[in-house]
Each structure stands twice: as structure tokens, then as C-alpha cells.
Amino acid sequence: MTDHRPLGRTGVKVSPLTLGAMNFGAQGNPDHDDSIRVIHAALDAGINVIDTADVYSQGESEVVVGKALAGGRRDDVILATKVHGRLGEDVNRFGNSRRWIIREVEDSLRRLQTDWIDLYQVHRPEPDTDIDETLGALSDLVHQGKIRYIGTSTFQPSQIVEAQHVALTRHRERPVTEQPPYSILARGIEREVLPVAQLHGLGVLPWSPLAGGWLSGRHRRGETEAPSRREHRNPGRHDPTLPANQRKLEAVHALHDLAEDAGLSLVHLALAFVLEHPAVTSAIIGPRTFEHLESALGADKITLDPHLLDRIDEIVPPGTTLNDADGGYQPPALTDAGLRRRTRRHA
């Protein structure tokens, strides 16, 4: 893996595949030694970006990554982590406030066994927190040398633009990356997020390019599957009895046939599709095992011809997300009915 891509306008070069560490720890693979072997294999294969988050297995993922990079492998890795998710019962151990960011970055540095984080990302937007509060805290951390760059994850187009505007007008460090959900089954970001990212020169690091396992090749026509852990953990995305997921299953079967006709694995087809978009910098793969990693490697060497891309567009039209649960974030305007209804006063 030698064709590195520019990370936005930072001057940093990154591999087309990023190693996502969400599945290292109790949430996925609890065997630290095995997880470290997977991380080392990814680095040996040419991947130079590792992405984790403080909330993955409640910090255990960062611990595993820290162990893997100890002993001389840290310097050549672009290390990314995220802040926002809840860690503990206290009401303030969560979110995008200065108080939490300043506290939590220290814990991430300790778990990762490093003096600096290359890319520190806001894991989700938080409308109740002024974006200037968040950017101010992150800017201070850049100036202190504890983080190198700022990024966002799963921000709406308006929120991406607001962050850029506030950074410019308030003289804050600006986010240089966005990490959105993107796959053949979840193409909603093609409407605005990707064009907005291009407009502002952001690096784009899509998560879930295999649609949470739907495009891993395990869903085959005519085969009955046992319920997965993901189905129990997140039925909205994985319960096959839901109409939106039935639509996904139909699309997966058609994509599987398409991949076979093209002589590709479904994994390679799915990853190559994401990497084909001009706005995409590096696709995040999240292997739990060495076999998962091995199935993804080499996808960056595949070029999909226009006819194949047209066929994909026929199965899942551009800008279409088959199940809104795959979008990663539903704004309060949709989840809180009170924000859509005027309060009526009774005489």
C-alpha cells in the first residue's frame, strides 16, 4: 500500500485504508495480544493511520492501541482518537464542553502511551454546546502540543460550515477532517456532506464502509443466518425483519451477484466504491480478527470501471440511504417532537 493521499490541506499523507480500532477490546476482540497482532499486520501492510475513540470499550481500545505502538512504532503512525461519548455516571463526563475535552484528552494520552495525538476528533455534534466553546478548548490543546489537528465526525453540512466559519471569525484552529458514515447502502452524504468537505478542503475518513457488516459477504441468498451480536446490540441497523433492513438485504444480494460477475469479493467492491469518490481520503476498516483484515487489504488497488459504477447506482441510487439508522446521527429536529410543534396555550 504505497499510494498515499493528502489529508485535506494539512500536508500530511495517509494510506487509502485506515485501521479502525473499535473492535479491539471487550466490545469486539477481548484478547489484547491477538488484537496487537492485527494492528502490527496492518502497519506492516502499509496502513499508516489508526483511528480509535475514548468510548470504544470504555477506553480499552485506546489501551490496546497504546500497547501496540509502544516500543518504537508510534512515530510513523498518524494516530487519531475522538471525544464526546459518555464515560461514567457523572453528568459532565460526556459531550463537547471545554471542561470535558480538557480532562478527557489527558486520559486518552495516558491510555495511548503517547505525548501527542495527531488527529483529535469531536465524535458527534452537540447542539447544546456552543461550537466556539469546543473549538476554543481544542485550539488550546493544539497550542500546547497535545494534539496536532482537529476533526469532526458525523456532522451535518450546516454544522461543518458553522465550525469553519467560527474558526475563521474567532481565530480558532479549524477542523481539517470530517469522519462520516459512507457505504454503498448509505449514500446520503453524497448530497451535501462530501461536496461541502471538498469546498472547504477537508480530509474525509468514512466509517462503516462495509455498512456494519452487511457488505462483508456473509449475507448470501438462500442461506439462513443465526442472529448476530450486532442484531442484539443495534436492531435498528441489523434486525432483518425491519422493512428498511429487508431493502438492504435485497440490495446486498444484487451487489453480491455484481461482485461475482466482476471477479471481486463483495468486501473489495464495497471498499473500492467508497475510495472511488474524489472527496474521500481514507476508508476506515474495523477488523476484529486477522482474517477480517486480510479480506480488506488490497481494495485500494482496485479500480471500478464506469459500467460497474453505473450498475451500483442502479441498485442503490446516488444520495440514497436505505435505512436512516445507518446515518449515524439524527438531529434533535427529527428526534424531539417538541421542536416541530408550536406550544398551544389554552384559554
Side-chain angles (χ1 to χ4, degrees):
M1 186 180 298
T2 55
D3 286 334
H4 293 89
R5 299 180 173 191
L7 184 66
R9 296 173 183 160
T10 64
V12 174
K13 299 295 192 297
V14 298
S15 51
L17 296 179
T18 287
L19 180 66
M22 185 178 72
N23 285 317
F24 301 142
Q27 188 174 326
N29 186 349
D31 186 328
H32 286 202
D33 289 339
D34 189 50
S35 296
I36 289 169
R37 282 192 289 271
V38 175
I39 294 171
H40 287 171
L43 298 180
D44 291 342
I47 290 176
N48 75 339
V49 188
I50 298 178
D51 176 79
T52 183
D54 58 358
V55 78
Y56 294 160
S57 295
Q58 297 291 287
E60 189 180 0
S61 170
E62 289 185 329
V63 170
V64 172
V65 171
K67 289 179 180 179
L69 296 182
R73 304 204 73 154
R74 170 69 184 94
D75 285 351
D76 295 328
V77 170
I78 308 303
L79 182 57
T81 191
K82 299 182 283 292
V83 64
H84 168 84
R86 179 167 294 285
L87 286 168
E89 297 300 321
D90 185 85
V91 67
N92 288 310
R93 292 178 62 86
F94 162 84
N96 302 343
S97 70
R98 168 179 287 273
R99 186 180 191 276
W100 179 237
I101 290 170
I102 296 297
R103 172 176 175 172
E104 186 54 15
V105 74
E106 298 295 341
D107 286 340
S108 286
L109 288 167
R110 174 180 51 79
R111 288 187 292 257
L112 290 165
Q113 300 184 48
T114 187
D115 295 326
W116 83 97
I117 293 163
D118 293 290
L119 178 62
Y120 201 46
Q121 302 154 104
V122 182
H123 207 161
R124 291 292 186 273
E126 188 177 41
D128 290 343
T129 303
D130 189 340
I131 189 64
D132 186 52
E133 162 102 355
T134 302
L135 292 180
L138 294 171
S139 296
D140 288 346
L141 293 175
V142 170
H143 302 155
Q144 293 167 17
K146 294 180 179 180
I147 64 177
R148 299 291 190 255
Y149 302 102
I150 297 167
T152 57
S153 178
T154 323
F155 271 42
Q156 300 296 295
S158 61
Q159 293 165 329
I160 294 173
V161 173
E162 181 188 17
Q164 297 294 312
H165 174 72
V166 169
L168 176 65
T169 57
R170 304 284 181 87
H171 306 289
R172 307 299 194 188
E173 297 291 328
R174 76 180 188 96
V176 298
T177 60
E178 163 60 15
Q179 189 182 126
Y182 187 37
S183 71
I184 296 176
L185 304 182
R187 302 182 60 176
I189 66 166
E190 292 173 344
R191 294 179 178 271
E192 284 193 87
V193 170
L194 292 179
V196 165
Q198 286 179 295
L199 180 65
H200 290 282
L202 304 183
V204 176
L205 310 168
W207 57 267
S208 202
L210 299 183
W214 283 88
L215 298 172
S216 66
R218 68 183 185 87
H219 296 280
R220 294 179 178 270
R221 187 180 281 108
E223 295 184 7
T224 302
E225 300 175 36
S228 67
R229 290 185 302 171
R230 283 172 169 164
E231 185 176 331
H232 292 298
R233 193 166 61 225
N234 193 341
R237 292 189 70 191
H238 298 284
D239 183 349
T241 66
L242 298 179
N245 290 331
Q246 290 175 359
R247 290 193 293 272
K248 282 165 44 175
L249 190 58
E250 292 171 2
V252 167
H253 289 158
L255 291 166
H256 196 279
D257 293 342
L258 186 64
E260 283 195 339
D261 290 344
L264 299 171
S265 70
L266 184 54
V267 169
H268 276 187
L269 177 75
L271 292 173
F273 168 83
V274 168
L275 292 172
E276 178 68 28
H277 198 290
V280 168
T281 305
S282 182
I284 300 173
I285 57 172
R288 181 170 49 85
T289 66
F290 180 79
E291 289 73 24
H292 293 161
L293 171 67
E294 198 171 39
S295 71
L297 294 176
D300 56 307
K301 304 301 183 186
I302 295 168
T303 300
L304 303 181
D305 65 53
H307 172 70
L308 195 55
L309 292 168
D310 289 343
R311 288 287 294 113
I312 292 173
D313 287 349
E314 291 172 7
I315 296 169
V316 182
T320 300
T321 293
L322 297 179
N323 181 349
D324 287 342
D326 292 324
Y329 170 76
Q330 291 291 307
L334 299 182
T335 59
D336 185 350
L339 297 177
R340 301 191 301 275
R341 300 167 187 175
R342 290 181 182 273
T343 301
R344 299 187 182 276
R345 296 184 178 180
H346 298 284

